[in-house]
Amino acid sequence: MENIQRILSIDGGGVRGIIPATILAAIEERTGKRISELFDLIAGTSTGGILALGLTKPDPQQPEKPQFSARQLCQLYQEKIPLIFQDPQSWWGNLIGPKYKSFALQAVLKEAFEECRLKNSLSHVLIPCYDIEHRVPYLFNSRLARIAPEHDFQMRDVALAASASPTVFHPVRFPRAGIAGRQICLVDGGVFANNPSICALSESKAENANNQKSIFIVSLGTGKSHRTLSDEFVSLWGYVQWSVPMLELVMESNSECTHQQMQYLMPNTSYHRVQVELNDMSAKLAIDDASSKNLKALKQCADKFCSEPKNLEAICNRLLLLSECRPGSFIG
């Protein structure tokens, strides 16, 4: 069989991460295999980065297997996200500081990832962030973490940096690789790569520069709404009115632009974009609406998509075919 690298890309989207988590759970259940077994490289931005790390964290009791299934991560989203996005700053407070304190987020990440390090991920993991101090992208890369200690960090710290959306959480400081006493200041990579497909494609090309492999990419969005911003009102907006929808608008336009580029770069048979339509009017695009009503609506949209066998049939069949020649498969 042709040597093909299997890539999974997961968009950012805050609480909407429950959508790709649900889709990945359906893929695991239909194939009988864990995501870390089905994909060689997993790239994730923001909430997608947390999923990428969670799906590849080894089980302390059986290090060759992942600790969490996608279904378990889906359940964790429903249980823990309301804790993370509680007690927001007032509107006035958010004008001069982040909307949320990060203590609850840090506690959730510490409980989930414990002392596990990036180099221990079961698949190759890529997490884009942005260094606001030096104005350059910074990609956490488990391939580099395995060969260079200065690129290795605790998974929980990587997840914290991936979650640091501007205006929502504080930026996160890290030691700067290879330079003693220097630091980088990171925010969520959604500011430039909310859809990390191209980052993953570039990493694959760099990793296999001397041994070009064919590539199969599955790119998961975090939901698409068709609600419009009416020009009748938007044309009158200033800074205050735009400050609320701007983050979601930047993330969504970023993701869709990348998707269009990927369609030109990859053959149809080698690139699959999965985007759930948020037809339920109670499902919100806001990245921090952790109300039980919104989480339930988002989950229902994802469940409805997964209930149509044809929506994931081609992806699951191809992944099973590609995994047949891989050693060490397991079901669980």
Side-chain angles (χ1 to χ4, degrees):
M1 180 179 290
E2 186 180 6
N3 192 11
I4 297 179
Q5 185 169 44
R6 307 160 299 171
I7 298 174
L8 172 64
S9 170
I10 313 173
D11 283 17
V15 300
R16 300 196 330 259
I18 197 170
I19 292 174
T22 301
I23 293 170
L24 291 169
I27 290 175
E28 285 191 341
E29 288 156 10
R30 293 186 192 185
T31 61
K33 297 178 183 293
R34 296 286 184 88
I35 295 301
S36 61
E37 184 186 9
L38 292 169
F39 293 96
D40 306 298
L41 168 59
I42 304 177
T45 298
S46 188
T47 191
I50 295 176
L51 283 173
L53 293 166
L55 291 164
T56 61
K57 178 184 183 289
D59 187 330
Q61 306 303 319
Q62 296 177 291
E64 74 282 0
K65 297 183 180 182
Q67 180 174 353
F68 301 112
S69 68
R71 184 65 65 190
Q72 287 174 312
L73 291 179
C74 210
Q75 185 64 34
L76 284 174
Y77 263 84
Q78 292 172 291
E79 294 174 359
K80 303 297 185 180
I81 277 184
L83 303 177
I84 294 170
F85 294 108
Q86 62 182 347
D87 301 326
Q89 286 263 40
S90 67
W91 186 86
W92 288 104
N94 195 204
L95 281 179
I96 58 173
K99 189 173 182 179
Y100 300 95
K101 304 291 186 183
S102 61
F103 302 121
L105 174 60
Q106 291 181 58
V108 169
L109 295 176
K110 183 176 181 179
E111 180 183 356
F113 293 109
E114 303 171 300
E115 304 302 316
C116 189
R117 302 191 69 84
L118 183 61
K119 67 180 180 181
N120 300 129
S121 63
L122 293 174
S123 298
H124 180 177
V125 171
L126 195 70
I127 313 288
C129 289
Y130 191 80
D131 178 2
I132 59 174
E133 193 165 304
H134 300 91
R135 303 292 184 94
V136 292
Y138 184 89
L139 277 70
F140 290 100
N141 188 328
S142 64
R143 174 176 65 86
L144 296 180
R146 292 184 181 109
I147 60 178
E150 64 267 25
H151 290 282
D152 185 36
F153 302 93
Q154 290 186 322
M155 280 188 171
R156 68 192 192 203
D157 291 335
V158 176
L160 185 65
S163 307
S165 297
T167 76
V168 180
F169 292 112
H170 279 289
V172 178
R173 287 194 172 274
F174 276 83
R176 192 175 183 190
I179 304 180
R182 296 288 297 276
Q183 292 186 323
I184 52 177
C185 189
L186 302 180
V187 297
D188 172 3
V191 298
F192 76 98
N194 198 57
N195 175 348
S197 297
I198 287 183
C199 295
L201 181 61
S202 299
E203 170 63 15
S204 177
K205 297 290 187 182
E207 182 185 9
N208 299 293
N210 298 321
N211 179 25
Q212 289 298 328
K213 296 182 179 181
S214 297
I215 295 171
F216 176 70
I217 298 182
V218 177
S219 173
L220 302 184
T222 53
K224 182 177 179 63
S225 173
H226 291 287
R227 295 191 191 94
T228 59
L229 295 174
S230 171
D231 180 64
E232 178 183 356
F233 300 104
V234 172
S235 61
L236 301 176
W237 282 5
Y239 175 81
V240 172
Q241 292 95 334
W242 272 110
S243 65
V244 176
M246 180 56 73
L247 185 59
E248 287 82 11
L249 186 63
V250 168
M251 291 167 57
E252 186 175 9
S253 60
N254 179 312
S255 290
E256 290 306 309
C257 179
T258 299
H259 168 50
Q260 291 182 18
Q261 292 168 336
M262 289 296 294
Q263 286 180 302
Y264 286 109
L265 292 170
M266 298 290 295
N268 290 338
T269 56
S270 300
Y271 170 72
H272 292 263
R273 175 69 170 170
V274 180
Q275 183 67 287
V276 171
E277 302 288 337
L278 300 183
N279 296 320
D280 187 333
M281 294 303 290
S282 60
K284 308 299 183 185
L285 276 178
I287 66 172
D288 64 336
D289 186 343
S291 64
S292 58
K293 180 180 179 182
N294 189 47
L295 289 175
K296 181 179 180 182
L298 293 170
K299 183 73 164 52
Q300 286 177 338
C301 289
D303 285 335
K304 181 179 180 181
F305 176 87
C306 294
S307 68
E308 294 289 335
K310 63 180 181 180
N311 285 337
L312 295 176
E313 184 177 12
I315 291 172
C316 290
N317 288 344
R318 185 73 187 281
L319 288 171
L320 277 173
L321 181 65
L322 293 177
S323 68
E324 284 180 357
C325 64
R326 309 274 173 158
S329 63
F330 62 87
I331 298 177

